[in-house]
Amino acid sequence: MSERLEGVFALRYARRTASKKGEHFYGYSDDCTEDYPIDYFVWVISRPDDVVVVDAGFTRAAAEERGGRDYFGDPDELLGLLGITPEDVSTLILTHLHYDHSGHVAAYQNARVWVQRAELEFWHLPLVRSRGGYPHLHTREDIELLDRLRNDGRVQLLEGDARIDDDISVHLVGGHTPGMTVVRVRRPDGVIVLASDASHFYENFEQDKPYGIVHELPAMYTAFDRLRELAGEDGVIVPGHDPQVAQRHEVLHDPRVIRLGQVAR
């Protein structure tokens, strides 16, 4: 495809089917063994004059190393399904720095990278290398790359909410990680809020059930409130990992490409 598609899209680049409900919801026991698959997305805001990508996914090597993940293609390569190349991307927003959101930063050589200062600084703490689940949740090489890009002047460190441009803003909510950020997109047909991991599934914010990986539990609850506030009465909230995104929005010419919009299917 050569003609660029415009709009807001979710690109589904991987799936983990061998997951159970007990893994995903705070307070659920390990014996809650109902199947609960999880999809992995990056998001693309394609406009006539530029392209913004939200999050950078994980690599094929990470999929193989961690196992249990069906890998549908590198996220930067899947841009081609929209008629976009990585070189077209002017802005890369990293909502947080877990491994499945930071793996392909190097592909966007022309992009300015936006990330919360609190998030980047947290992953430099000594404890994240050896304690609890933190070593599993991030990739050290991804953090080191961001350090190099910061030294090159390509990283914009955020101190909370910020406006990228007239249509796109970012909002610090915390909860899942110290710098967990959501993205609000204003469009002529309404607002789309890309929740990323502030709400992995619709069930999180719709039923007030936090996800199982918690940095600060009260902030996870207030993040749900903030998502609804940002969306307003007529806006759409898009969770970060829910297979139902493909049921509530329009799957295009390829099952990996989902157009996000106001009218659910």
Side-chain angles (χ1 to χ4, degrees):
M1 175 178 297
S2 57
E3 182 179 354
R4 178 190 296 181
L5 295 181
E6 295 178 9
V8 183
F9 303 91
L11 295 181
R12 179 170 42 192
Y13 70 92
R15 168 172 282 194
R16 180 159 62 95
T17 54
S19 63
K20 305 300 180 183
K21 190 166 188 175
E23 299 177 45
H24 296 309
F25 292 90
Y26 178 79
Y28 275 60
S29 64
D30 291 339
D31 60 2
C32 184
T33 58
E34 175 188 344
D35 287 343
Y36 215 94
I38 183 169
D39 279 354
Y40 297 88
F41 299 99
V42 299
W43 301 272
V44 182
I45 305 162
S46 175
R47 300 178 290 187
D49 298 327
D50 77 334
V51 177
V52 175
V53 168
V54 178
D55 285 338
F58 60 78
T59 64
R60 188 178 299 275
E64 293 172 354
E65 178 183 347
R66 292 168 183 269
R69 289 153 175 79
D70 299 317
Y71 199 74
F72 306 140
D74 289 332
D76 52 298
E77 293 180 354
L78 296 185
L79 289 174
L81 298 171
L82 300 174
I84 295 169
T85 70
E87 291 75 22
D88 296 329
V89 178
S90 64
T91 301
L92 174 63
I93 301 169
L94 298 178
T95 64
H96 63 300
L97 297 178
H98 283 174
Y99 79 95
D100 55 324
H101 296 259
S102 62
H104 285 275
V105 172
Y108 303 105
Q109 298 183 13
N110 296 328
R112 186 161 186 78
V113 182
W114 297 62
V115 65
Q116 294 287 344
R117 181 187 297 274
E119 184 74 9
L120 186 57
E121 290 181 349
F122 176 79
W123 294 105
H124 283 89
L125 295 177
L127 69 87
V128 305
R129 300 192 182 202
S130 60
R131 304 182 74 171
Y134 293 119
H136 173 76
L137 290 172
H138 80 295
T139 299
R140 193 72 223 156
E141 291 78 9
D142 295 350
I143 307 302
E144 292 170 351
L145 172 60
L146 285 172
D147 289 340
R148 293 195 297 274
L149 295 179
R150 182 182 178 186
N151 289 335
D152 292 340
R154 286 186 50 203
V155 174
Q156 177 70 47
L157 291 179
L158 297 163
E159 305 282 358
D161 294 2
R163 183 174 295 281
I164 305 296
D165 55 38
D166 289 342
D167 300 324
I168 303 171
S169 56
V170 294
H171 303 269
L172 174 64
V173 296
H176 182 59
T177 70
M180 182 71 236
T181 297
V182 303
V183 180
R184 186 186 197 207
V185 186
R186 291 181 178 271
R187 291 178 47 78
D189 58 347
V191 168
I192 297 174
V193 179
L194 303 176
S196 183
D197 289 9
S199 187
H200 283 60
F201 303 103
Y202 288 104
E203 191 170 348
N204 294 132
F205 75 87
E206 289 181 347
Q207 299 185 31
D208 215 33
K209 295 180 180 179
Y211 189 69
I213 298 174
V214 178
H215 177 73
E216 186 182 356
L217 184 59
M220 296 190 85
Y221 285 111
T222 57
F224 299 157
D225 299 336
R226 185 67 169 138
L227 289 171
R228 288 186 282 267
E229 177 186 344
L230 290 168
E233 293 184 1
D234 300 321
V236 171
I237 300 170
V238 182
H241 289 276
D242 200 324
Q244 288 190 40
V245 170
Q247 300 170 20
R248 299 199 189 191
H249 295 271
E250 181 187 5
V251 178
L252 297 187
H253 54 285
D254 186 292
R256 296 169 293 183
V257 181
I258 303 166
R259 185 192 298 273
L260 305 174
Q262 296 303 111
V263 181
R265 298 176 62 202

